[in-house]
Amino acid sequence: MDAFQLQGLTLDSLRRVDLPEPQPGPGQVRIRVAAASINYRDYALATGRYQPELPRPFVPLSDGVGRIEALGAGVSDFEIGERVVGHYTTQWLDGPFRSGNHLSKLGGPLDGWLARSIVLPADSIARVPAFLDDAEASTLPVSGLTAWSALRKLQLQSGASVLVQGTGSVSLMALQLAVARGYRVIATTSDAAKAERLRALGAQEVIDYTQRSDLAAAVRELTDGRGVDGIVDVVGGQQFLQLLQAAADNAHIVAIGFLQSMNVDGNLIGPLISHQLNIHGISVGSLQDLREYLREVEAHRIRPVVGARFSFEQGAEAIASIAKGREVGKPVVVFD
């Protein structure tokens, strides 16, 4: 089987290899991969910036879609030919998160989607809305579900205000879901063309953070001084301090990403106490969450924003592209 393996802590260690064709065991299915999308986690793993302790080699990429081509013994809920996505954290089926679930993640430590076929437990897959193409569907299980879980944590009512950051896949899906639910969305970017795209997707206001160094002041100007009710933070680092100042009393902030850094040095406790803020950490969601999210995508006919498209042979280039941030939307590897 044609596949890529990440064998070390640099992107140069990604090797195209010939692996034995995987066979589904009892309760498993084999999926012929049609498309796989790139998350920042994939890039961080491939460059040694995140979880360097994970054993190598493994097949990268946590997100993908394909059609079932073989059923293991005892599988009766799915049929050959059905189009499905795989749940990223394969053992997290329902209920609250448990730390042991980290060991069941696709694209490290378990083999992911940058291969012609993948074998998954039948109880860790979900059917794809028919109106989405393969590239769109491949973006759903990680960044899409993360955005959905983030909005659930924000506990907002229709008309509430939400701040999202940039044009990455989590932020874009959070924007699309928030608009569908009737929230007022304020977005940030550093590019005029991207600002227009954000407005086209439904953002009511867009802040150019290269022109406004005081993000909190800009947000408060747009909210009559009160701040936003919810924040989806994908950046992390020192800018988190400004987010605390941009939040309204009793606001909820969801910490998802670490594009800038995992470290924050400054006054965190003061704003938390004085404004009674609520901070949540989010890492995707359960399989039942994924299925509920997919139902909402179908109900609102939400089409995820796909960025650059790559061929299977361009696997390394696709992963590297996540660091450039030039495209709006999520990079996708489309298999031939």
Side-chain angles (χ1 to χ4, degrees):
M1 177 187 67
D2 201 2
F4 283 88
Q5 278 187 336
L6 186 63
Q7 300 182 345
L9 298 176
T10 66
L11 194 50
D12 290 341
S13 73
L14 186 68
R15 297 284 185 270
R16 192 170 177 179
V17 296
D18 184 20
L19 300 177
E21 187 72 28
Q23 300 302 318
Q28 296 180 324
V29 299
R30 187 174 73 228
I31 300 164
R32 178 62 61 175
V33 181
S37 64
I38 317 295
N39 296 287
Y40 183 76
R41 178 182 187 265
D42 301 312
Y43 172 76
L45 287 173
T47 54
R49 302 180 182 201
Y50 181 60
Q51 294 189 300
E53 73 280 2
L54 287 185
R56 269 73 169 170
F58 59 81
V59 175
L61 303 195
S62 304
D63 260 341
V65 65
R67 294 190 180 275
I68 297 173
E69 62 177 0
L71 304 174
V75 176
S76 58
D77 293 339
F78 292 92
E79 298 179 356
I80 290 175
E82 286 194 280
R83 192 170 63 138
V84 296
V85 292
H87 182 43
Y88 161 55
T89 311
T90 57
Q91 291 182 2
W92 188 7
L93 303 183
D94 202 359
F97 178 77
R98 299 180 184 278
S99 294
N101 292 334
H102 286 302
L103 298 176
S104 70
K105 290 182 174 179
L106 300 177
L110 303 185
D111 282 342
W113 290 85
L114 197 53
R116 296 292 180 181
S117 297
I118 185 173
V119 167
L120 295 176
D123 62 2
S124 70
I125 62 177
R127 294 176 178 88
V128 178
F131 75 95
L132 298 177
D133 66 27
D134 289 334
E136 293 167 331
S138 75
T139 71
L140 298 171
V142 177
S143 58
L145 179 56
T146 297
W148 183 89
S149 297
L151 291 188
R152 180 176 59 179
K153 282 290 187 184
L154 293 183
Q155 303 177 33
L156 301 177
Q157 302 297 318
S158 180
S161 56
V162 182
L163 178 68
V164 300
Q165 300 169 303
T167 53
S169 54
V170 173
S171 296
L172 291 175
M173 180 52 67
L175 164 61
Q176 291 174 283
L177 287 168
V179 170
R181 295 180 184 187
Y183 304 156
R184 176 193 178 193
V185 181
I186 300 173
T188 68
T189 188
S190 61
D191 181 274
K194 290 181 179 179
E196 287 306 308
R197 187 72 182 276
L198 289 167
R199 291 188 182 95
L201 289 170
Q204 282 87 342
E205 290 94 8
V206 181
I207 298 170
D208 184 338
Y209 58 80
T210 64
Q211 303 298 317
R212 296 297 305 267
S213 59
D214 190 339
L215 177 63
V219 169
R220 290 192 175 276
E221 286 176 14
L222 294 172
T223 56
D224 297 324
R226 68 180 299 273
V228 287
D229 302 301
I231 299 174
V232 180
D233 177 32
V234 299
V235 178
Q238 288 302 108
Q239 64 86 47
F240 192 79
L241 299 177
Q242 286 207 42
L243 297 184
L244 299 179
Q245 299 298 332
D249 294 343
N250 306 299
H252 291 257
I253 302 172
V254 176
I256 293 171
F258 49 92
L259 295 175
Q260 184 181 97
S261 173
M262 289 188 177
N263 300 316
V264 181
D265 183 15
N267 180 9
L268 290 170
I269 303 303
L272 292 180
I273 295 173
S274 62
H275 294 290
Q276 299 286 289
L277 301 180
N278 306 274
I279 298 179
H280 312 272
I282 286 292
S283 177
V284 200
S286 71
L287 175 68
Q288 292 307 311
D289 293 333
L290 174 62
R291 290 175 174 169
E292 187 173 341
Y293 161 57
L294 294 178
R295 286 192 289 271
E296 185 168 355
V297 166
E298 188 155 31
H300 293 293
R301 310 296 281 188
I302 297 173
R303 305 194 79 103
V305 181
V306 174
R309 300 184 186 222
F310 298 86
S311 66
F312 179 78
E313 291 74 16
Q314 295 174 301
E317 183 180 345
I319 295 173
S321 73
I322 205 78
K324 299 176 182 177
R326 296 174 183 171
E327 292 270 355
V328 175
K330 197 172 187 184
V332 173
V333 176
V334 180
F335 290 45
D336 49 36

